[in-house]
């Protein structure tokens, strides 16, 4: 698992609130004190959509593909692509699979939650 999609993930030292991009103050408690951390990369699908029309010619050979919002175990919600042989569903377990170009790709885990 690469760390590229998590390079800007920080946790507030005062209240523990995680956030996925830097801000000068914590949105929960307004503390300026943060520390970087690396999330596990595991989470669940919050919502998803299947893309059937390429947004540009660069994606032409990749359609259809699935984009999802993932709720990570640490309390962050991040977008990413979904891969896996199972049909996606809200609440499905996922794990960070790769991060080409810094964009996270999550792999759907089988229903039993094992890799």
């Amino acid at each position: 698992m690469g760390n590229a999609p998590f390079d800007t993930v920080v946790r507030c030292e005062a209240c523990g609130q995680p956030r996925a991009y830097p801000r000068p103050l914590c949105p929960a408690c307004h503390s300026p004190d943060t520390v970087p951390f690396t999330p596990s990369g595991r989470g669940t699908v919050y919502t998803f959509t299947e893309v059937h029309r390429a947004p540009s010619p660069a994606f032409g050979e990749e359609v259809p593909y699935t984009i999802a919002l993932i709720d990570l175990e640490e309390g962050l919600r991040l977008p990413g692509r979904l891969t896996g042989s199972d049909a996606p569903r809200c609440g499905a377990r996922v794990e960070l699979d790769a991060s080409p170009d810094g964009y996270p790709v999550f792999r759907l885990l089988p229903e039993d939650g094992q890799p």
Side-chain angles (χ1 to χ4, degrees), residues 10 12 15 17-32 34:
V10 296
C12 176
C15 72
Q17 176 75 32
R19 58 187 187 268
Y21 57 94
R23 295 183 199 169
L25 300 175
C26 173
C29 73
H30 306 292
S31 170
T34 60

Side-chain angles (χ1 to χ4, degrees), residues 6-81:
F6 302 137
D7 284 344
T8 59
V9 175
V10 296
R11 182 182 314 275
C12 176
E13 284 191 296
C15 72
Q17 176 75 32
R19 58 187 187 268
Y21 57 94
R23 295 183 199 169
L25 300 175
C26 173
C29 73
H30 306 292
S31 170
D33 302 321
T34 60
V35 292
F37 79 100
T38 302
S40 66
R42 292 183 302 272
T44 58
V45 175
Y46 174 73
T47 191
F48 65 92
T49 188
E50 193 168 284
V51 178
H52 290 274
R53 177 177 274 173
S56 75
F59 292 92
E61 294 190 23
E62 300 199 27
V63 292
Y65 58 90
T66 304
I67 299 291
L69 285 177
I70 305 300
D71 285 338
L72 294 178
E73 291 176 344
E74 293 81 8
L76 296 167
R77 182 173 288 161
L78 297 176
R81 286 184 68 170

